[in-house]
Amino acid sequence: MKFTDIPSLDLSPGDLTVWRAYATHMSDTTWAADLRRASYVQEAHITYALEAAGGGPLPPSWLGCAFDLPAELDADAFTTALRGWINRHETLRSQLTLSPRSTPGGSLQRMTLPAGAVSIHPSAAGDFTDGRKLARYLDELFASEAGPLGWPGYICATISRPEATTVCLAADHTLTDGYSVLLTAYEIHTLYAAALAAANGKPTPPPLHPSASYLDFAEAERTAADALTADHESIVHWRQFLTEAGGCLPEFPVPVSDVSGSPAAQPGGYTELLDASTARAFDRVCRAAGGDSFSGLLACLAKVGHEITGSGEFRTMAPFHTRTGPSQSSIGWYVGMAPITFPLSATDSFAEAVRSAVSGLDGVKDLAQIPIPRVEELLGRPLRDPFMVSYNDLRRTPGARDWNTWRIVILRGRSTDPDDVYFWILRTYDGLFVNYRHPATGPAGIAVPRYVARIKQLLTSIASTARWPATAHPTGDYCP
């Protein structure tokens, strides 16, 4: 499963059509005032965008996917599929704007359309014969129309060819997260197949299960977070984590930041860490040590960090989903962040490191249920997370066994952040993979790929021997 930006996507030329959503009656009366509040992360994201809007183009903040549908596109069936997808997910029919009765800190007002009130308008954008020009067009289109300000905040494009049609869809982060993107590919495939079957008088596949609304989740999460106080045990944990780390969230173990003042777009990379059979062997070793693949992976990250810095403690930030049963099939921003820390000494075996990581993971999912903006409010300080490790086992995701057939790729907008080093580690039926991005600096271009290569060495050794490799990596190998 690959994360990439559009310029790095290998696109076959074809006939490009852009599909936009419109309120059916194009009237203010179509929109109804909605008392359900923005989630904390939505409000923080939109507030930042409003404040930055006067300073030039906003940095891209969209997520998306590219995947194939079989054969040349049936426009009517695809229109039906897109409308069905929008009708299923209330967040795609809702917008947040600055309230005219805003407080000094600002507040957002929600307006929502009913199901059935959105129409889809396709427009031909041309027959592209150059894949690079096509990628540039899509990159600019998504950056300009899939943003946090204004509705709909999402847009779709199709590249139709006789043998297959590639769908490229992007939505601002206020509307979606990485898991939602994968759900979207599955749902559009399912809805499109149903529309084709109905049009041809064939039996339709089973309908999708009803989906919960992210708007209901946002209101409930907001109510729960508002009730917290600065002496809540989770906030005390956060405060302790920051105090022990010198007041800052963890950084990548090698200095790689861009200090130029005008950072370039972050490059990224993609590496297979373990194939399917070796990933299963790694699972077995981790379970025998009293953990699981995530704790085993964290143990390996801690080992690499210790080799670089000599530190006896591993620290990072990690995202966790905030979905409950009813929201498993819902589109929305269901992600919270939590701090992870645990000790590791030079003499610890892999099994000891796993058990230490298990201890470090205790309770962190509960911490992630509290939105970071609310944590910032209660701590009275901003929080930036320049070093993040995300792990997702995606094998139970709807459609997962078909991803290779669909040629699915997760897309992300380009980042120019001067500090962030982010890793997305994914378990699929094909094995264990890492996608990453880092500052566009010489040190980052050396240190981060070597860091990934060392992680792969450790994982491979553990899977085959249940032990660390016999030789350590010299610290200088991570530096220019």
Side-chain angles (χ1 to χ4, degrees):
M1 176 62 60
K2 192 171 184 179
F3 278 72
T4 189
D5 54 28
I6 289 181
S8 303
L9 188 64
D10 183 17
L11 286 172
S12 299
D15 188 12
L16 181 69
T17 301
V18 178
W19 307 75
R20 293 179 173 90
Y22 292 86
T24 301
H25 303 295
M26 297 300 290
S27 167
D28 288 343
T29 59
T30 307
W31 293 92
D34 193 327
L35 295 179
R36 290 170 293 183
R37 294 168 291 174
S39 67
Y40 265 103
V41 289
Q42 283 183 316
E43 182 174 48
H45 188 66
I46 293 173
T47 299
Y48 165 77
L50 288 168
E51 293 172 348
L58 293 172
S61 57
W62 58 265
L63 297 171
C65 56
F67 58 91
D68 282 356
L69 294 174
E72 200 164 2
L73 190 71
D74 184 303
D76 290 338
F78 191 68
T79 298
T80 299
L82 285 180
R83 291 194 70 214
W85 175 65
I86 294 167
N87 286 338
R88 277 177 57 77
H89 302 291
E90 202 174 19
T91 191
L92 303 175
R93 296 180 275 106
S94 190
Q95 63 175 320
L96 293 159
T97 58
L98 197 62
S99 170
R101 297 180 297 279
S102 59
T103 63
S107 61
L108 299 176
Q109 174 179 307
R110 186 183 293 282
M111 304 287 286
T112 303
L113 292 167
V118 175
S119 59
I120 301 296
H121 294 199
S123 58
D127 185 1
F128 283 79
T129 58
D130 186 320
R132 289 173 296 181
K133 289 182 179 178
L134 174 58
R136 285 197 297 271
Y137 180 90
L138 290 174
D139 193 42
E140 293 171 1
L141 175 72
F142 289 178
S144 63
E145 298 199 33
L149 305 180
W151 185 85
Y154 54 91
I155 191 166
C156 182
T158 56
I159 308 157
S160 189
R161 301 174 296 275
E163 70 279 7
T165 295
T166 300
V167 178
C168 297
L169 188 148
D172 187 69
H173 207 340
T174 53
L175 302 171
T176 193
D177 57 22
Y179 187 78
S180 297
V181 163
L182 295 170
L183 286 178
T184 293
Y186 166 73
E187 290 193 353
I188 290 179
H189 253 279
T190 303
L191 292 166
Y192 181 68
L196 281 177
N200 294 316
K202 296 181 180 179
T204 58
L208 296 169
H209 294 298
S211 173
S213 172
Y214 179 75
L215 277 58
D216 291 334
F217 167 86
E219 175 62 31
E221 182 196 61
R222 187 106 199 188
T223 299
D226 286 349
L228 298 176
T229 62
D231 59 358
H232 187 275
E233 61 179 348
S234 294
I235 305 304
V236 170
H237 186 114
W238 269 102
R239 188 178 296 110
Q240 181 180 352
F241 181 85
L242 286 166
T243 299
E244 293 173 350
C248 298
L249 293 182
E251 297 182 350
F252 186 67
V254 178
V256 295
S257 294
D258 189 328
V259 296
S260 67
S262 54
Q266 286 198 333
Y270 166 78
T271 299
E272 179 191 86
L273 296 173
L274 299 173
D275 63 24
S277 62
T278 313
R280 289 193 294 271
F282 181 71
D283 286 344
R284 291 191 293 269
V285 173
C286 293
R287 287 196 298 271
D292 57 16
S293 288
F294 186 29
S295 55
L297 176 66
L298 289 174
C300 292
L301 294 173
K303 183 70 170 178
V304 178
H306 180 80
E307 290 176 346
I308 297 171
T309 67
S311 172
E313 195 163 44
F314 176 73
R315 290 177 178 271
T316 190
M317 295 291 293
F320 294 89
H321 77 79
T322 55
R323 296 172 183 270
T324 58
S327 57
Q328 292 298 322
S329 60
S330 176
I331 302 298
W333 194 351
Y334 292 96
V335 178
M337 298 293 294
I340 295 174
T341 181
F342 58 90
L344 180 77
S345 72
T347 58
D348 283 349
S349 66
F350 174 72
E352 289 169 329
V354 168
R355 290 191 286 273
S356 186
V358 169
S359 177
L361 286 169
D362 185 36
V364 295
K365 289 185 179 180
D366 292 334
L367 292 178
Q369 304 305 307
I370 306 173
I372 281 284
R374 181 57 175 155
V375 175
E376 292 177 321
E377 287 181 359
L378 293 170
L379 292 177
R381 62 194 305 172
L383 298 174
R384 290 199 70 254
D385 50 341
F387 177 38
M388 183 205 78
V389 177
S390 170
Y391 174 78
N392 278 291
D393 186 335
L394 299 173
R395 288 174 293 175
R396 294 186 179 180
T397 307
R401 290 193 180 276
D402 297 309
W403 288 343
N404 289 336
T405 301
W406 298 347
R407 298 199 314 136
I408 190 168
V409 177
I410 297 177
L411 302 173
R412 59 171 181 257
R414 288 173 293 167
S415 172
T416 58
D417 192 280
D419 304 309
D420 290 353
V421 180
Y422 283 3
F423 297 92
W424 293 272
I425 300 172
L426 308 175
R427 179 72 186 277
T428 73
Y429 286 110
D430 294 324
L432 188 69
F433 304 85
V434 61
N435 297 271
Y436 57 89
R437 62 175 173 83
H438 56 75
T441 65
I446 294 172
V448 175
R450 289 181 179 177
Y451 181 89
V452 170
R454 180 57 172 167
I455 292 169
K456 181 172 181 175
Q457 290 176 351
L458 296 183
L459 291 168
T460 302
S461 175
I462 296 302
S464 61
T465 69
R467 296 182 178 88
W468 300 124
T471 57
H473 229 43
T475 300
D477 282 5
Y478 300 96
C479 303

